[in-house]
Amino acid sequence: MFEQIYEWIRSIAVCLVVMTAVLHAVPGKDYVKYIRFFTGLVLIILMFTPLLKLSGMEQRFRTIWADEEYRMNRKEIEDAAGRYEKLESEILFPEEVVGGENGSGDAPSSGNESEAQEGKIEVEEIVIGE
């Protein structure tokens, strides 16, 4: 019991020391009111943590936080997978993305369909220095 009270008082003292150090480290006075507001909110939360622990609300907040974090991570992974699939299709099938050389969505047709199906590419002769 006394260890919990000691830990609570210690966390408040550390918060106050950090708050004071940050306020003295800010070069201008423009942001002091915002820093005081934010650190005041943190201090209020620290003051109410024993009440949250006693009422069991702390576990609810942790569960809500973990659920929200899981949803955000899942959405990021799904978005990255979608971008990867789109990029992969653009790399593997670029003629479908830009409409192909002949204006249709089909692959460009060469004189020999079997060569096009096998993935062979016909290259013209390139002469440099004429």
Side-chain angles (χ1 to χ4, degrees):
M1 175 78 175
F2 287 115
E3 288 182 21
Q4 292 174 346
I5 294 173
Y6 175 73
E7 184 67 30
W8 178 57
I9 292 173
R10 191 174 80 176
S11 65
I12 292 173
V14 167
C15 178
L16 289 172
V17 169
V18 169
M19 223 170 51
T20 305
V22 168
L23 286 174
H24 286 292
V26 175
K29 299 296 180 190
D30 298 336
Y31 298 107
V32 171
K33 62 181 177 181
Y34 301 112
I35 294 171
R36 282 186 191 266
F37 176 75
F38 176 74
T39 53
L41 290 176
V42 171
L43 191 61
I44 289 171
I45 291 171
L46 283 174
M47 296 292 276
F48 285 114
T49 51
L51 295 175
L52 293 175
K53 286 181 182 180
L54 289 175
S55 66
M57 293 292 288
E58 181 187 26
Q59 186 61 34
R60 287 184 191 167
F61 285 133
R62 287 184 191 270
T63 304
I64 291 169
W65 178 266
D67 289 345
E68 188 62 31
E69 188 175 23
Y70 172 75
R71 278 192 222 113
M72 287 174 42
N73 287 339
R74 184 174 176 172
K75 184 177 183 326
E76 284 180 23
I77 290 170
E78 288 173 353
D79 291 346
R83 288 191 304 268
Y84 175 76
E85 288 174 1
K86 182 180 177 187
L87 182 63
E88 184 179 40
S89 67
E90 289 176 0
I91 290 173
L92 293 178
F93 308 108
E95 63 274 352
E96 292 179 6
V97 175
V98 292
E101 291 179 13
N102 56 3
S104 67
D106 300 331
S109 61
S110 63
N112 191 349
E113 283 295 323
S114 64
E115 285 183 2
Q117 290 176 354
E118 292 177 14
K120 295 181 181 177
I121 300 173
E122 190 176 317
V123 179
E124 298 177 16
E125 184 180 346
I126 300 173
V127 180
I128 299 175
E130 283 188 19

